[in-house]
Amino acid sequence: MIVTETLNEGLKRELRVVVSADELENKLVTRLDEMKSRVRLRGFRPGKVPLTHLRKVYGRSVMADVVQKAVEETSRKTLEQRKEEPACPPDIVVDEDRRNVDRIMEGKTDLAFTMSFEVMPSFEIVDFSSVKLEKPVAAIEDEELDGAIALMVERHRDFEPRDGQHEAQDGDRLTIDFEGRIDGDPFKGGLGQGVALRLGSGDFMAGFEDQLVGARADEDRNVTVTFPQDYTARHLAGKQAVFAVRIKQVASPRDIVFDDTFAQKAGLESLDALKRHIQEQLEARHEVASREKLKRQLFDQLAAAYDFALPEKMVEREFQTLWNRLSEGMKREGQSFADEGTSEGDARAEYAAIARRRVRLGLVLRKIAKSNGVKVGDRELQAALLERCRQFPGQERQVFDYYKRNPQAMSALHDPLLERKVVDLILDRVEVKDVPVGREALFADPDNDNPEDQQLTSGQRRSKTSPMVGANAELVQQDEVAQ
């Protein structure tokens, strides 16, 4: 094997690799000799077929396999000998000239191919002592606790079906079937059966619930509403729809006594225990929000601290992942760039910048992980997979098999776990100061305050929070897994 470097420019490398005809011939003879004991040919006893005859019958097909394996083995050995880590699998090009290919298959000329790839960039990890972060923390006020308790009460409230003489009023729960039409034609998403709707909840489009006040069980009503101009499904925005509604049942809420008996129905031994449980849930929710804000600050500082060349192929793959998701979401919601006050060109430039940031941060986090021996254990990954399977009741085996067969899918489980570990490592080494804020500020969407992060469409968030989630690995969608 002879390796000649033909390009060394920045991160780009190109190599010409030559495997001699003699080496290919030796591999071919070895393979044919291994076949002798297995091949059954008319006129020859087992194991007695001459190599010349085997070569005549199987030579070209076996040589094709020899050449393929020679390319795989020599390309791997070449990278090992050069101690280079490609950012993406190398592009390998073999001479496709028919006459030359025939000569290679006949063992009359050397095998030559080129390897093109980009190497991982080299950079030093910054001193974490220079990183200073502010962690927003919000106290749980009585109003928030009372609201959470009231929400739990409503979730556990029982309803009593009423007879056909009872007229539905605010607070009642209706069970309905409906079919919507626009200009007399049904539309996607306009059909529902056995849907529970509580009047006054605001869960349905404005005006829908109001027109069902006074309805009785087994009654049919037509409900006319107009979709908002900013409705996410653009093909429905601003259009008037008529829903044929069948009221199957009207049920009124029963009174609830918030006491130990109620707590026990909710699975806790007493009212005090229930309140503590709700308090702990709120504290956990606050902590998650605080950490997300803290992580955003950390990534912003890391992004500003590093400036090194990026493998363009890696950036392009990340861009395509993000862009495909955006395009699919816009198509699904009937949106266009003009609807959002931008153009495809401007959006592409914005997404390209986001892709570069995500790749850079992903490389930084992976290097920090490698430098500090941070890894995701098999048990942790297995636990994440089982949790994912539980999200698909009745399809656990299919989901499990899907992930086991797809390295990209497993990467979508592995990378967030690794990212969390690296972030924990960094946060333990940097200065973090708690800063009291109000609840509204704690849960505010950071994208709404940062023009660089504004959403292009309502359905496609371009998160900078998780560079390792999706960096060069398409996240698996639930409907894809379930198929």
Side-chain angles (χ1 to χ4, degrees), residues 62 105 164 183-184 190 210 270 279 301 310 340 360 363 390 429 442 470 474 476:
V62 173
M105 292 298 124
D183 297 330
D210 295 341
S270 67
Q279 176 83 18
Q301 291 198 31
L310 299 175
E340 302 300 328
R360 177 171 283 109
L363 292 173
R390 280 193 287 270
R429 299 183 181 181
L442 178 63
E474 180 70 48
V476 181

Side-chain angles (χ1 to χ4, degrees), residues 57 68 70-71 119 181 232 251 475:
V57 177
Q68 180 181 345
V71 171
V119 296
R181 293 176 179 268
T232 53
L475 288 179

Side-chain angles (χ1 to χ4, degrees), residues 243-262:
F243 288 84
V245 181
R246 173 74 173 176
I247 295 86
K248 301 177 71 175
Q249 184 187 78
V250 178
S252 296
R254 289 174 174 163
D255 292 335
I256 286 182
V257 178
F258 192 58
D259 56 10
D260 287 348
T261 301
F262 173 85

